């Protein structure tokens, strides 16, 4: 099974600084499914290398192409109150 582990950005219109939350839950899922032979792709929108692209309620074509190329069968996203709207946006976009 191909599994996408996605940490969604939590930048809001009222906050110009990226809030960083280490995705321990998604890392745990990845380490659990890897020995069973499942293929996974982990993307952290909060990683320093990913911060330049505007991804809060906005589609990043390069990221969407990467996700579509992987063609996940299951998508897992970390969420909390500060990024809920963006998680829903990306869930609908990926679907």
């Amino acid at each position: 099974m191909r599994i996408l582990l996605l940490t969604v950005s939590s930048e809001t219109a009222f906050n110009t600084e990226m809030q960083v939350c280490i995705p321990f839950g998604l890392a745990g899922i990845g380490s659990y499914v890897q020995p069973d032979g499942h293929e996974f792709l982990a993307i952290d929108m909060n990683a320093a290398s990913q911060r330049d692209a505007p991804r809060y309620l906005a589609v990043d074509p390069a990221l969407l192409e990467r996700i579509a190329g992987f063609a996940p069968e299951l998508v897992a996203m970390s969420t909390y109150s500060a990024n809920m709207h963006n998680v829903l946006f990306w869930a609908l976009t990926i679907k």
Side-chain angles (χ1 to χ4, degrees), residues 54-90:
R55 295 183 176 141
Y56 190 81
L57 302 180
V59 173
D60 175 358
L63 178 61
L64 195 55
E65 184 177 325
R66 184 174 174 202
I67 292 169
F70 180 67
E73 299 168 271
L74 177 71
V75 178
M77 292 184 273
S78 59
T79 186
Y80 42 95
S81 60
N83 75 345
M84 177 60 75
H85 294 293
N86 206 26
V87 167
L88 292 173
F89 173 83
W90 278 97

Side-chain angles (χ1 to χ4, degrees), residues 19-71:
Q19 298 175 13
V20 177
C21 180
I22 298 170
F24 289 116
L26 293 179
I29 291 171
S31 67
Y32 182 79
V33 301
Q34 189 175 21
D36 290 335
H38 298 287
E39 182 181 358
F40 69 91
L41 172 64
I43 299 173
D44 183 357
M45 289 186 189
N46 292 316
S49 63
Q50 302 293 316
R51 291 184 187 173
D52 293 335
R55 295 183 176 141
Y56 190 81
L57 302 180
V59 173
D60 175 358
L63 178 61
L64 195 55
E65 184 177 325
R66 184 174 174 202
I67 292 169
F70 180 67

Side-chain angles (χ1 to χ4, degrees), residues 10-21:
S10 60
E11 184 178 11
T12 66
F14 306 106
N15 181 7
T16 58
E17 294 295 321
M18 295 291 285
Q19 298 175 13
V20 177
C21 180

